[in-house]
Amino acid sequence: MTVRAVLLAVLGALVALALQTTLFGRATIAGVAPDAVLVAVLLFAVRSRSEPAIIFAFVAGLVFDALSVTALGLRAGIYATVAFLAIRTIDRMDSNPFSVAAWVGLMTLAGVLLYLVVGTIFGQVNMDAGEAMRRIILVPIYNLALAVVLAPVSARLLAPSRRGFI
Amino acid sequence: MREFRTNDRALPLVVTLVVLSIVIMTFDIRSDGTGVLATVRGAANSLLEPVERLGSVVVAPLADVIENLSEIRSLRDENEALRAKLAEEQARNAANADLAARVAVLERVNDVRSEDLADYTTTAANVVGQTDSFDLSFRLDKGEEAGILVGHPVVDDFGFLVGRIAQSWSGGSIVVPIIADVNAVTVRVGEQTGTLEAVIGSDVMVFQVFETAVAVSAGDAVVTSSLAEAYPPGLPVGEVATDTQPTGQALTAQVRPFTEPTRLRNVIVITWPTDQALGEEDTPEIPVVPGGDIVDPGDEASTP
């Protein structure tokens, strides 16, 4: 990974955090918003495929925790775990934007499930089964849609010399 | 399909980070939103405030469009219902105006007066957005610099109770609405005082009276009680949803709050208690607890 790629990833995470707390904080569909920060983390993991992606995910999650009222460390741990799953599974995907988007959706599903399980254990999740199910279904779909748009952009920005999307 | 790759250092790294996150989480929960981690949280909020403010300005028109598109159908239905309710309220207002005039005369004669919102120091603030998809807490664009402190009550444009401040820093704050708060609110319905508690995943709250309860009727007004320490007395909270009879000496009734936190665009923060100002050493700390809720150790209506 080049310094340029890392700086771009940090910038991308900041933009995602700003979008998450502004645009997606207000504009929700069916009461649910995508997890833009997780999309940024996963798209970075696609191009990095190494330990920096896990550290990046941990830090991004920690900052996101600090900006919300959930316990510090909840998203940090979950994002780091999802990033680990991501770099272990990305090679099984085909190198096209739709395949990458579907994979982002799957990884998001893992993240949402982890959030609900760990969040419930630590008393951080305050919702009934219906609400939880709505998020389990909708957040991965929204992230998949975001990834279709963002995967080609991130591929071009983060590793322009590499061909394909993975 | 590509060859599956393994990475020797990734597993120990992720295990370390997960353990670290659990340690941080445990400390954060146990410190009840105070101490070093609260300072770190405040610092992060302050540092990213300019980014969020810029983002807010840039995406506000887009957010408005998406929001309006997604709400257009429900708004039409709601408009119809509101028109009908408006006519009803106008008739009731006319009757109330006469009563208010009589109350004012009686207060003057007896040298007492009831407090209203104008008696408090208030700060208007814009709602920036929700903190995340999993929580009803939302962010305001003003914080400590505007005198907004942890624990201050929050009402909407009409003076209806919304919730209270859970976190505040220079440049912003976070509000936990009453429908997502683990703490109950001490309220009054007619002549009886009881507790009003949130129900997880529901927009209806539960009003409970445990001694010498009497029946309540749909539409009965629910206001904060003078016994409530966290809120000024007399703030309208909601109305009883259905006619309810007491069971024995206890009463459990459903209450529909007047405000819907997800639709708020601006709110008013009340400086309460009235002598609480920024910089006072005895400013009470109200710790954040799981789920974005706050616990006030001194709250007489705290749920177990």
Side-chain angles (χ1 to χ4, degrees):
Chain A
M1 283 260 79
T2 62
V3 175
R4 176 179 173 276
V6 173
L7 287 176
L8 281 171
V10 171
L11 186 66
L14 281 176
V15 171
L17 278 165
L19 283 177
Q20 195 70 49
T21 52
T22 53
L23 177 66
F24 298 134
R26 282 183 54 193
T28 57
I29 302 170
V32 179
D35 190 338
V37 184
L38 187 55
V39 173
V41 162
L42 287 169
L43 291 180
F44 180 67
V46 171
R47 302 308 278 185
S48 159
R49 291 193 280 179
S50 56
E51 292 82 11
I54 299 173
I55 296 168
F56 175 74
F58 182 82
V59 175
L62 204 58
V63 176
F64 194 2
D65 284 331
L67 296 181
S68 64
V69 289
T70 46
L72 273 176
L74 176 61
R75 281 191 191 80
I78 288 164
Y79 283 5
T81 309
V82 173
F84 171 73
L85 288 175
I87 61 173
R88 283 292 171 99
T89 57
I90 185 60
D91 285 330
R92 292 170 179 263
M93 289 288 126
D94 290 331
S95 182
N96 67 66
F98 297 103
S99 178
V100 171
W103 172 83
V104 166
L106 274 176
M107 290 296 111
T108 304
L109 177 63
V112 172
L113 289 174
L114 269 175
Y115 183 94
L116 290 172
V117 172
V118 180
T120 303
I121 290 169
F122 281 87
Q124 302 291 301
V125 174
N126 185 18
M127 63 179 70
D128 61 10
E131 283 287 303
M133 192 52 73
R134 207 144 56 100
R135 278 157 179 81
I136 288 171
I137 295 168
L138 293 180
V139 177
I141 292 173
Y142 294 167
N143 275 11
L144 185 153
L146 265 184
V148 169
V149 179
L150 296 176
V153 180
S154 76
R156 193 159 296 180
L157 287 175
L158 292 177
S161 58
R162 205 189 305 164
R163 296 184 67 184
F165 293 91
I166 300 181
Chain B
M1 201 64 74
R2 286 148 191 259
E3 187 189 343
F4 182 76
R5 296 195 325 175
T6 56
N7 196 328
D8 291 334
R9 287 179 300 174
L11 186 59
L13 176 66
V14 78
V15 169
T16 308
L17 290 177
V18 167
V19 170
L20 181 62
S21 71
I22 290 172
V23 170
I24 295 172
M25 213 177 350
T26 309
F27 273 115
D28 193 30
I29 292 169
R30 288 185 69 87
S31 65
D32 284 340
T34 57
V36 179
L37 291 177
T39 312
V40 170
R41 204 186 272 274
N45 275 303
S46 297
L47 279 173
L48 288 172
E49 186 61 35
V51 179
E52 285 178 333
R53 203 172 284 268
L54 179 68
S56 186
V57 170
V58 173
V59 304
L62 183 59
D64 286 340
V65 171
I66 296 173
E67 211 168 39
N68 293 340
L69 283 175
S70 64
E71 287 182 355
I72 202 159
R73 187 181 292 173
S74 64
L75 283 176
R76 275 186 192 141
D77 296 341
E78 197 177 326
N79 266 351
E80 288 297 317
L82 285 175
R83 278 197 192 105
K85 194 161 185 179
L86 179 65
E88 215 173 277
E89 292 299 326
Q90 278 171 337
R92 202 182 291 179
N93 260 355
N96 284 345
D98 179 49
L99 284 173
R102 288 172 63 187
V103 167
V105 170
L106 287 171
E107 282 181 350
R108 203 165 47 242
V109 168
N110 292 296
D111 199 24
V112 292
R113 65 189 279 271
S114 41
E115 292 175 318
D116 60 29
L117 212 54
D119 295 324
Y120 305 118
T121 304
T122 57
T123 308
N126 293 308
V127 176
V128 180
Q130 275 180 273
T131 52
D132 63 64
S133 243
F134 294 87
D135 205 320
L136 283 172
S137 305
F138 56 88
R139 304 165 71 88
L140 304 181
D141 65 347
K142 290 179 185 168
E144 284 179 351
E145 85 290 351
I148 295 174
L149 299 179
V150 171
H152 280 177
V154 178
V155 295
D156 68 6
D157 306 357
F158 303 105
F160 299 146
L161 183 64
V162 173
R164 51 181 169 168
I165 302 291
Q167 281 180 34
S168 183
W169 62 92
S170 182
S173 50
I174 293 179
V175 178
V176 173
I178 51 170
I179 61 167
D181 200 335
V182 285
N183 281 2
V185 184
T186 307
V187 294
R188 186 167 50 78
V189 177
E191 292 302 314
Q192 52 188 343
T193 301
T195 57
L196 187 65
E197 291 179 25
V199 180
I200 290 175
S202 170
D203 55 358
V204 174
M205 301 179 76
V206 172
F207 171 65
Q208 289 181 305
V209 180
F210 297 106
E211 285 181 7
T212 58
V214 295
V216 290
S217 307
D220 281 357
V222 180
V223 299
T224 51
S225 162
S226 54
L227 298 176
E229 287 178 3
Y231 300 102
L235 292 179
V237 180
E239 60 183 14
V240 175
T242 51
D243 295 348
T244 311
Q245 295 292 330
T247 309
Q249 290 214 312
L251 173 81
T252 302
Q254 289 195 323
V255 168
R256 192 170 299 283
F258 287 133
T259 54
E260 197 179 324
T262 52
R263 289 195 172 174
L264 292 170
R265 292 292 154 262
N266 5 69
V267 293
I268 296 162
V269 183
I270 303 171
T271 304
W272 176 267
T274 47
D275 57 351
Q276 189 189 51
L278 190 63
E280 281 185 291
E281 283 182 2
D282 56 351
T283 298
E285 291 272 7
I286 296 188
V288 176
V289 296
D293 300 317
I294 52 180
V295 167
D296 181 353
D299 193 340
E300 80 292 339
S302 295
T303 49

